[in-house]
């Protein structure tokens, strides 16, 4: 507690922190809290799980007077995050009895009108905040603290214009705090336009890399679900599991089939009603649900303690998302396992992960023999989505082998695209390997992905050094219909 006290935190807030059982400030808290207390502008590079809420919350709460109007506005990318931040702030502000209100879309406006009248602190998503601004149902004239939480994510989600409009409508005399895992040009521009001599700090996330193990399985498309089921059903450690998919439809389908096969699973994505999402997430927090199947957006920033495994059912297209996903486990000194299930259509994205994160050790895991499970597509209740996905498209997104065998190895013997024999071909990713604008000759020979070997494969392996047969299989993969691919109907939305 002394270390918190040294940062200049009020006794009231210190006692709330003590009640929460925090013994020491995290790195970002150590660096940010004194700056926030001094009312300086701040740009903080800080990942999910690093303890940002208290990092900005402690100082802000200290400066807020109950009943003196809306004094702090916190913008967050998703409804769940807004909800979570406001719950945390309420706990930190318990002794001051501040009124903290969360404001987001997808729920009725009416209760928000009256709540906004009484709020000392508002935590909201940009779209709905702007909506209230246009209706003149939010009064920003007293705002003294503005926080952009997970700013990179907010911009990724297309909120740049909304954020700019909100920032420009807040009083000039105020403190602006910007937290982001990555600092892009847009974020620099925002800070140049709206911040005054900001202090720059950054902190490493709470995830402990030595506690994190990452593996991948090669599996043919039609057997991917069976492998997932097998791994979950044979997991003896227990614990909470997050399963990431790239589209709403895939979330629905995976969750449905897990449930059908007796696994306690729930899906969350942006197409579900707010109540359903909140119920699901709180069920997960209380340990009722053992597997949460989710899209990146729905999961982003949710603080779910005790996630033992992260499964990537689809590999994200954006390697930053991969980092966010794995940040869900191995928190606070606990062990964590990340399991990547790679079928043909994931190879390109996985290649990007491996290329961008040469520091990650992602080991190839021996494919178990799995019993094939028949699956069916979810009825299409990814909201706003008119079309369901046919069973064959779920099972056969990249089908390449025949059906009929009941028990089979999950990995076809034919292709092992993440490996190469000693002295294999060039390590560059050729131009035919679409999707990447990176210069292929930037990659040094033999760099990139290495498995540790000793797991049934060649001892030295490198991603990206594929022979021509592999390139062929990629292009044919692209021409097939994909699950969670590029079609623009909302079933493929990523939130
Ligand atoms: P972020 O916003 O960076 O994702 P949060 O503020 O949600 O991180 O905090 C992540 C988790 O860490 C929460 O469960 C929170 O209660 C916990 N936490 C925050 N600060 C501390 C601390 N100083 N000591 C222990 N746990 C902490
Ligand atoms: Mg947060």
């Amino acid at each position: 507690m002394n270390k918190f006290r040294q940062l200049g935190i009020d006794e009231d807030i210190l006692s709330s922190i003590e009640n929460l059982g925090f013994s020491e400030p995290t790195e970002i808290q150590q660096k940010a809290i004194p700056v926030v207390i001094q009312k300086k502008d701040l740009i903080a590079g800080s990942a999910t799980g690093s303890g940002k809420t208290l990092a900005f919350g402690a100082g802000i709460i200290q400066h807020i007077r109950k009943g003196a109007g809306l004094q702090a506005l916190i913008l967050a990318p998703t409804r769940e995050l807004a909800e979570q931040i406001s719950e945390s702030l309420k706990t930190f502000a318990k002794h001051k009895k501040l009124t903290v209100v969360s404001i987001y879309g997808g729920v009725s406006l009416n209760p928000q009108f009256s709540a906004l009248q009484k709020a000392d602190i508002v935590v909201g998503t940009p779209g709905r905040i702007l909506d209230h601004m246009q209706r003149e149902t939010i009064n920003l004239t007293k705002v003294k603290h503005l926080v952009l939480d997970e700013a990179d994510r907010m911009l990724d989600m297309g909120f740049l214009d909304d954020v700019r409009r909100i920032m420009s409508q807040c009083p000039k005399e105020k403190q602006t705090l910007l937290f982001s895992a990555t600092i892009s040009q847009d974020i620099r521009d925002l800070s140049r336009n709206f911040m005054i001599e900001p202090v720059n700090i950054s902190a490493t996330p709470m995830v402990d890399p030595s506690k994190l193990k990452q593996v991948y399985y090669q599996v043919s498309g039609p057997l991917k679900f069976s492998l997932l089921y097998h791994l979950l059903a044979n997991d003896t450690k227990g614990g909470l599991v997050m399963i990431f998919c790239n589209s709403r439809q895939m979330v629905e389908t995976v969750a449905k089939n897990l449930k059908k096969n007796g696994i306690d699973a729930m899906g969350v994505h942006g197409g579900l009603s707010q109540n359903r999402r909140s119920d699901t997430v709180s069920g997960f927090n209380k340990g009722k649900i053992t597997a949460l199947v989710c899209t990146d957006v729905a999961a982003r920033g949710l603080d779910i303690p005790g996630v033992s495994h992260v499964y990537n059912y689809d590999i994200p297209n954006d390697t930053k998302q991969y980092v966010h996903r794995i940040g869900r486990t191995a928190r606070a000194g606990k062990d964590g396992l990340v399991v990547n299930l790679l079928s043909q259509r994931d190879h390109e994205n996985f290649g990007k992960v491996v290329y961008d994160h040469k520091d990650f050790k992602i080991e190839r895991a021996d494919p178990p023999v799995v019993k094939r499970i028949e699956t069916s597509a979810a009825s299409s209740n990814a909201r706003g989505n008119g079309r369901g996905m046919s069973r064959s498209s779920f099972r056969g997104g990249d089908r390449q082998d025949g059906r009929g065998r009941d028990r089979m190895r999950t990995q076809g013997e034919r292709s092992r695209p993440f490996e190469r024999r000693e002295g294999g071909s060039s390590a560059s990713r050729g131009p035919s390997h679409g999707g990447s604008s990176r210069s292929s000759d930037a990659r040094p020979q033999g760099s990139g992905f290495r498995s540790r070997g000793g797991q049934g494969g060649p001892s030295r392996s490198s991603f990206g050094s594929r022979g021509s047969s592999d390139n062929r299989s990629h292009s044919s993969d692209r021409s097939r219909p994909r699950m969670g691919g590029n079609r623009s109907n909302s079933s493929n939305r990523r939130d």
Side-chain angles (χ1 to χ4, degrees):
M1 210 30 60
N2 270 341
K3 285 202 176 153
F4 279 110
R5 187 170 281 112
Q6 282 163 11
L7 300 175
I9 299 175
D10 270 359
E11 287 304 318
D12 273 358
I13 300 165
L14 283 174
S15 81
S16 304
I17 295 174
E18 193 157 20
N19 288 341
L20 286 167
F22 299 175
S23 51
E24 274 188 33
T26 64
E27 189 182 350
I28 193 73
Q29 290 163 1
Q30 272 187 47
K31 293 177 174 169
I33 289 172
V35 180
V36 180
I37 291 177
Q38 288 167 39
K39 300 191 184 172
K40 289 184 183 155
D41 283 1
L42 171 70
I43 299 178
S46 189
T48 297
S50 53
K52 289 189 286 285
T53 321
L54 186 66
F56 62 78
I60 290 178
I61 288 167
Q62 199 147 317
H63 292 306
I64 287 183
R65 267 197 314 124
K66 184 170 174 57
L70 168 55
Q71 299 150 75
L73 175 63
I74 292 127
L75 298 179
T78 65
R79 314 160 186 191
E80 283 82 3
L81 262 179
E83 195 60 68
Q84 208 162 70
I85 294 166
S86 73
E87 287 310 309
S88 294
L89 293 180
K90 277 179 206 165
T91 345
F92 306 150
K94 212 156 87 195
H95 294 82
K96 292 187 85 167
K97 299 195 172 57
L98 298 181
T99 307
V100 184
V101 171
S102 53
I103 295 289
Y104 41 77
V107 295
S108 160
L109 277 159
N110 273 330
Q112 297 184 349
F113 295 143
S114 53
L116 279 170
Q117 301 298 311
K118 289 173 267 173
D120 300 306
I121 300 177
V122 166
V123 188
T125 52
R128 184 53 75 94
I129 295 288
L130 198 65
D131 193 351
H132 281 287
M133 285 165 57
Q134 281 154 357
R135 293 166 190 269
E136 300 186 1
T137 47
I138 188 168
N139 178 355
L140 300 178
T141 58
K142 304 271 173 52
V143 169
K144 293 183 181 64
H145 309 271
L146 175 66
V147 181
L148 310 189
D149 194 17
E150 313 245 0
D152 49 351
R153 185 64 197 162
M154 257 186 315
L155 302 197
D156 285 352
M157 288 172 67
F159 283 132
L160 178 61
D161 282 347
D162 289 358
V163 168
R164 293 180 70 93
R165 280 156 80 185
I166 295 166
M167 290 180 94
S168 63
Q169 292 299 306
C170 287
K172 289 250 156 359
E173 282 276 305
K174 66 168 182 316
Q175 175 180 49
T176 304
L177 309 173
L178 189 156
F179 289 83
S180 192
T182 51
I183 309 290
S184 65
Q185 191 54 46
D186 277 339
I187 288 176
R188 272 185 245 285
D189 290 347
L190 270 187
S191 73
R192 227 191 352 262
N193 294 333
F194 295 102
M195 296 171 82
I196 300 162
E197 293 177 14
V199 175
N200 278 276
I201 59 174
S202 73
T204 45
M206 264 156 73
V207 173
D208 180 349
S210 68
K211 298 277 184 183
L212 183 71
K213 182 175 162 71
Q214 301 185 60
V215 301
Y216 73 91
Y217 289 90
Q218 304 260 38
V219 61
S220 68
L223 275 178
K224 196 189 244 193
F225 179 83
S226 309
L227 175 59
L228 174 69
Y229 173 80
H230 177 94
L231 294 172
L232 293 173
N234 289 285
D235 175 16
T236 49
K237 273 207 225 144
L240 300 180
V241 167
M242 288 180 91
I243 300 161
F244 285 90
C245 301
N246 287 358
S247 69
R248 294 174 175 186
Q249 183 67 38
M250 191 61 83
V251 164
E252 293 276 343
T253 302
V254 170
K256 174 184 164 178
N257 284 285
L258 286 176
K259 273 185 277 191
K260 212 173 76 181
N261 286 282
I263 302 251
D264 233 357
M266 281 295 273
V268 276
H269 57 67
L272 299 175
S273 74
Q274 184 53 37
N275 281 346
R276 180 119 176 251
R277 288 160 76 182
S278 303
D279 288 354
T280 304
V281 170
S282 70
F284 195 76
N285 267 316
K286 292 179 193 121
K288 271 192 282 187
I289 298 160
T290 49
L292 183 71
V293 189
C294 52
T295 54
D296 290 295
V297 172
R300 171 81 183 200
L302 289 180
D303 173 41
I304 301 167
V307 175
S308 61
H309 296 55
V310 167
Y311 284 86
N312 288 319
Y313 193 80
D314 296 314
I315 306 300
N317 178 40
D318 179 354
T319 63
K320 274 186 291 180
Q321 291 300 353
Y322 184 88
V323 178
H324 288 304
R325 289 180 183 186
I326 69 174
R328 312 318 306 257
T329 186
R331 284 192 182 193
K334 298 208 184 86
D335 287 333
L337 177 65
V338 175
V339 179
N340 295 295
L341 304 180
L342 309 186
S343 59
Q344 198 79 61
R345 72 196 159 85
D346 298 297
H347 291 163
E348 187 168 335
N349 287 346
F350 191 65
K352 289 194 257 176
V353 171
V354 164
Y355 183 83
D356 286 349
H357 297 282
K358 300 194 176 67
D359 51 323
F360 288 172
K361 285 204 179 68
I362 313 179
E363 295 173 35
R364 190 167 72 84
D366 267 342
V369 174
V370 302
K371 186 168 186 303
R372 182 169 191 145
I373 294 168
E374 286 302 317
T375 54
S376 54
S379 64
S380 183
N381 56 350
R383 217 167 41 170
N385 156 36
R387 296 190 234 171
M389 198 164 244
S390 72
R391 170 176 155 156
S392 64
S393 64
F394 171 59
R395 300 183 58 243
D398 45 0
R399 180 185 305 155
Q400 52 184 334
D401 52 0
R403 309 182 189 187
R405 273 182 289 166
D406 211 16
R407 292 169 71 83
M408 52 198 352
R409 285 239 153 218
T410 53
Q411 181 181 351
E413 298 84 62
R414 275 183 295 153
S415 73
R416 289 185 169 178
F418 298 103
E419 295 171 23
R420 68 174 171 137
R421 274 173 256 131
E422 292 293 337
S425 58
S426 155
S428 66
R429 226 191 288 170
S432 63
H433 193 60
S436 170
S437 57
R438 261 187 297 270
S439 155
S440 57
D441 49 21
R443 179 205 293 257
Q445 182 94 13
S447 71
F449 180 76
R450 280 162 199 266
S451 87
R452 279 199 185 139
Q455 297 200 11
S459 62
R460 179 162 178 234
S461 63
S462 167
F463 176 73
S465 50
R466 304 180 182 123
S468 57
S469 67
D470 184 55
N471 278 338
R472 260 202 313 277
S473 64
H474 268 261
S475 45
S476 61
D477 179 40
R478 272 200 298 280
S479 64
R480 272 184 231 121
R482 294 193 190 199
M483 304 180 275
N486 299 327
R487 275 174 297 147
S488 58
N489 79 45
S490 62
S491 67
N492 287 317
R493 285 181 58 163
R494 292 160 186 270
D495 57 348

